[in-house]
Amino acid sequence: MPPGSARRTSSVEMLRRLIAFPTVSRDSNLELIRFVRGFLEPYGAEIRLTHDAAKRKANLFATLGPRGEGGILLSGHTDVVPVEGQAWDTDPFELVEKDGRLYGRGTCDMKGFIACVLALVPDFMERGLRTPLHLAFSYDEEVGCIGVGRLIADLRQAGIRPRSCIVGEPTEMRPVIAHKGKRGFRCTVRGLAGHSAYAPLGVNAVEFAAEAVAFLKGLARRHRDQGPYDRGFDIAHTTVHTGVIRGGTALNVIPHECAFDFEFRHLPGDDPERLLHEFSDYVRSRLEPEMRATHPAAGFTIEPLSEIPMLDTGPEAEVVALAQELAGSGEIGKVSFATEGSQFQRAGIPTVVCGPGSIAQAHKPNEYVTLDQIARCDDFLGRLAHRICAKR
């Protein structure tokens, strides 16, 4: 046991340290990873790092306690979304406590969970783990759950397979057994530039992109109004969303190119390939013939951006009963947002999602997690220690 371990670091103090690392997905997370590694190594943690291609980011996987068994995995991502363009009342990378809330970028999504886990490590070790406790902290979750794939591939190669996994995304400490899958795409529209006074002689990429986006909006309305539905989800139907669009150079120039990014967040059993085919068939059969009548090289290109599989853990799974016991509630839920949990499940590790905070606070200015939620997460992990440690 490292010297001074009797002085505990509270979850709030740990969260203060983690928030101070501005780990926006576009930037490196290595300073935070070095901090976490330095915190864990004195407790005898066996640590594995997997990096991105540029060596600017890393996943950290740590094993505490005995080796050689499956053990339980606690997982979270270290990256956060940007703050630019948001009206924050405080410095987003400095933890501010006010009226029972902890403000800062990542407090809710999802450094609050990581902070609680790290703060409880001394307790786990002092009480003596009877089974391995694994910790996984990833990069680039917010841009498509990219980093965790390298971590899982490394575990597979090393023959490490935890018995179960809890991903601490914000669920208000309610165990979640399912979430939607996500498919993201970029659509690039090629037109023909010219003077806007002669608009009929060109191909306006922005206008054809707008027609394509309107078709996607029609798909979204159809699913809203006709289903299929799963009432267990907070949004009970598949959603279609366009999030980014770029095109044009000046008002008096016919835009020669426009690009937009769109996504499907689909229910279990709803096929995103069918939706993609429907969209593709529309632009190929309805829009491109008109474009190419003016300019044969005009048209649409659709390329994949990201894919996150669905999480669909059966309510009878052992990990679900464990999460219910730790949460002190038999309640389970389903959510619309995606997590890394589905990739752990795909790798054969039964997974649930359960963590402090509300997704309603994520990605917003003045993001916060309540002190009550942090306390509930501490209690959840304390019950886990009671279950897997020798001293109770």
Side-chain angles (χ1 to χ4, degrees), residues 155-391:
L155 297 185
R156 186 181 296 114
Q157 185 175 4
I160 301 171
R161 185 173 170 179
R163 183 173 180 175
S164 57
C165 174
I166 297 171
V167 176
E169 289 277 8
T171 68
E172 299 180 282
M173 297 309 301
R174 178 184 65 163
V176 162
I177 64 171
H179 65 62
K180 295 177 181 177
K182 175 188 173 183
R183 296 282 300 278
F185 302 91
R186 175 161 295 157
C187 184
T188 303
V189 187
R190 303 177 307 281
L192 177 64
H195 196 294
S196 63
Y198 298 89
L201 303 181
V203 178
N204 190 317
V206 167
E207 291 179 353
F208 280 101
E211 290 191 70
V213 170
F215 181 83
L216 290 170
K217 183 61 178 178
L219 291 180
R221 290 191 178 104
R222 189 180 77 200
H223 279 81
R224 179 197 65 192
D225 297 338
Q226 302 176 23
Y229 303 107
D230 182 335
R231 301 299 181 184
F233 283 88
D234 43 5
I235 302 295
H237 53 83
T238 292
T239 58
V240 184
H241 163 76
T242 302
V244 177
I245 189 166
R246 305 180 186 88
T249 55
L251 181 58
N252 61 351
V253 177
I254 301 168
H256 72 283
E257 186 172 279
C258 184
F260 59 92
D261 299 346
F262 66 97
E263 68 174 26
F264 306 131
R265 292 185 183 260
H266 55 96
L267 295 174
D270 205 358
D271 184 7
E273 285 296 329
R274 177 183 56 82
L275 292 174
L276 180 63
H277 176 76
E278 193 173 347
F279 173 70
S280 178
D281 183 65
Y282 171 76
V283 301
R284 305 296 179 215
S285 64
R286 297 287 299 277
L287 300 183
E288 285 188 340
E290 181 182 350
M291 300 167 75
R292 289 174 177 172
T294 301
H295 182 52
F300 283 75
T301 300
I302 304 168
E303 56 184 328
L305 286 179
S306 61
E307 178 180 2
I308 304 173
M310 297 171 293
L311 176 68
D312 194 12
T313 302
E316 74 287 347
E318 180 181 287
V319 68
V320 176
L322 172 63
Q324 290 173 314
E325 176 188 331
L326 301 182
S329 169
E331 186 180 7
I332 54 175
K334 302 177 181 181
V335 295
S336 296
F337 63 89
T339 78
E340 295 170 331
S342 56
Q343 296 196 42
F344 286 113
Q345 184 189 55
R346 178 179 279 185
I349 305 169
T351 300
V352 297
V353 181
C354 188
S358 167
I359 197 66
Q361 304 307 324
H363 300 190
K364 292 183 177 180
N366 301 319
E367 176 184 350
Y368 70 83
V369 66
T370 66
L371 287 169
D372 175 69
Q373 284 287 303
I374 293 295
R376 288 180 62 183
C377 189
D378 284 342
D379 290 344
F380 180 97
L381 295 170
R383 295 186 188 104
L384 177 62
H386 182 77
R387 182 183 176 95
I388 66 174
C389 291
K391 298 178 183 177

Side-chain angles (χ1 to χ4, degrees), residues 19 83 88-96 103-105 366:
I19 294 302
V83 299
W88 282 75
D89 296 329
T90 61
D91 182 343
F93 298 108
E94 179 180 340
L95 191 72
V96 173
Y103 291 91
R105 175 56 89 218
N366 301 319

